[in-house]
Amino acid sequence: MSETFVAIRYTPALVPVFRLLGLGPARSGVWVGRDSLRVTMGWGFRAEIPRRAVREIGPDGAAVSGWGVHGWRGRWLINGSSSGLVRLEMDPEVHAWAMGIPVRLRTLRLSLVNPNELTSMLTEHR
């Protein structure tokens, strides 16, 4: 199985700022493979998540207070928009890198162009 790409959603007016910072659409996204998914937002965030570690995935209606890479204590938000949010819960926690620094990852919130695509890919064959 080859990887399937799912794009991170960006608010159009913010794309030039994200590009300038090296966090734009050309350097960001989710690549879903047979055994894992790879999440990047430019140099700001990267994670390789084993599919078996994803215990829950679904829509996320919680508010966001900013755009980019935000997190602490295993909970991370990777977004270029306030809409199209999906939440992944991992168990066991996985390792990720935020701005080159290793971090723990238990909850990942993502803004996606098509959140249903990722949700259906990760819930099938469970």
Side-chain angles (χ1 to χ4, degrees):
M1 176 180 160
S2 63
E3 290 183 320
T4 301
F5 176 74
V6 181
I8 291 180
R9 181 185 300 246
Y10 288 87
T11 298
L14 297 176
V15 170
V17 175
F18 278 106
R19 283 187 179 134
L20 184 65
L21 295 172
L23 302 171
R27 299 175 182 264
S28 304
V30 181
W31 290 263
V32 181
R34 188 173 62 109
D35 298 322
S36 66
L37 57 146
R38 188 168 33 98
V39 179
T40 64
M41 187 173 230
W43 58 270
F45 184 86
R46 66 183 166 91
E48 183 88 22
I49 302 168
R51 285 178 73 142
R52 69 181 179 279
V54 178
R55 296 297 179 210
E56 291 182 43
I57 181 170
D60 184 342
V64 299
S65 58
W67 303 281
V69 175
H70 315 276
W72 186 250
R73 295 187 169 218
R75 298 176 49 96
W76 289 87
L77 168 64
I78 310 305
N79 68 325
S81 172
S82 297
S83 60
L85 292 168
V86 65
R87 177 187 310 259
L88 288 80
E89 300 287 344
M90 272 74 66
D91 186 26
E93 70 182 25
V94 299
H95 299 283
W97 288 262
M99 294 164 277
I101 299 168
V103 296
R104 297 178 306 175
L105 180 60
R106 285 190 311 269
T107 301
L108 179 61
R109 300 174 67 203
L110 297 164
S111 64
L112 300 174
V113 170
N114 188 349
N116 293 333
E117 182 180 15
L118 182 64
T119 301
S120 66
M121 279 191 284
L122 294 182
T123 55
E124 67 187 30
H125 308 298
R126 280 196 161 193

